[in-house]
Amino acid sequence: RLGEAAALQLGDIDFLRRQVHVRRQVQRREGDVDIRLPKYNSERTVHVPDALLQVLSEHVALGLPYDWLFAEVEDVPPHQNTVGYRWRTTLQRAGVTGVRLHDLRHFYASGLIASGCDVVAVQRALGHAKSTTTLTTYAHLWPTAEDRVRDAAAQLFDEVARSGEGTVRAE
């Protein structure tokens, strides 16, 4: 979520355990910055890949003049309009159209599912209050029982065919 990313501080990144701790989010009301718990009180730990930690460490190495990981001018988190502008500018430079920043969240969720993560793991990673929210949004991406039976049968067939122990005879 944008507000959660905007509220990241260096102390939220645990480079040794390869984790990012989501502890707060930024909300803006009538020009004021309000720092509060994440949506639905979904404080959580997100397990992140080494490649992301490398990018974050390079960002940190540039020097952080403020407490916020992505602050620019003042010691306040970036405004969502600034982040949106940067996103649109980046897409334009890359020649990409039709991708919203929020689409990255769906991309992440679908990647977790494709890699075999269960609903609870995806729920926790996304910060959904209930697993039903995760299922309502992403149920179509999990393999069906029929898919699992088909895959298991294919694996069994391949193992038997490779072993040379079994022969198939038509009778």
Side-chain angles (χ1 to χ4, degrees), residues 22-123:
V22 178
R23 298 178 172 136
R24 68 192 78 73
Q25 71 171 338
V26 176
Q27 289 286 313
R28 298 199 182 259
R29 289 192 177 159
E30 301 169 14
D32 291 331
V33 176
D34 184 21
I35 307 298
R36 59 175 58 184
L37 287 174
K39 190 175 179 181
Y40 309 118
N41 296 325
S42 62
E43 290 179 275
R44 63 194 179 279
T45 298
V46 180
H47 306 282
V48 295
D50 292 336
L52 176 58
L53 292 173
Q54 181 64 37
V55 170
L56 290 173
S57 69
E58 291 170 10
H59 175 71
V60 170
L62 295 174
L64 296 178
Y66 305 110
D67 293 335
W68 308 102
L69 197 59
F70 302 114
E72 288 185 328
V73 181
E74 303 172 19
D75 193 13
V76 294
H79 193 281
Q80 53 266 38
N81 291 345
T82 302
V83 175
Y85 171 76
R86 285 185 186 161
W87 178 250
R88 290 187 302 277
T89 302
T90 301
L91 288 178
Q92 186 178 24
R93 287 181 184 160
V96 176
T97 59
V99 179
R100 301 169 303 145
L101 190 57
H102 191 75
D103 293 337
L104 297 179
R105 183 173 167 84
H106 295 300
F107 175 78
Y108 176 61
S110 61
L112 294 178
I113 295 165
S115 294
C117 292
D118 61 54
V119 67
V120 174
V122 176
Q123 171 198 354

Side-chain angles (χ1 to χ4, degrees), residues 5-26:
L8 283 176
Q9 296 181 334
L10 180 57
D12 297 328
I13 303 169
D14 186 337
F15 288 95
L16 293 177
R17 290 183 179 87
R18 301 182 312 183
Q19 300 172 340
V20 172
H21 303 286
V22 178
R23 298 178 172 136
R24 68 192 78 73
Q25 71 171 338
V26 176

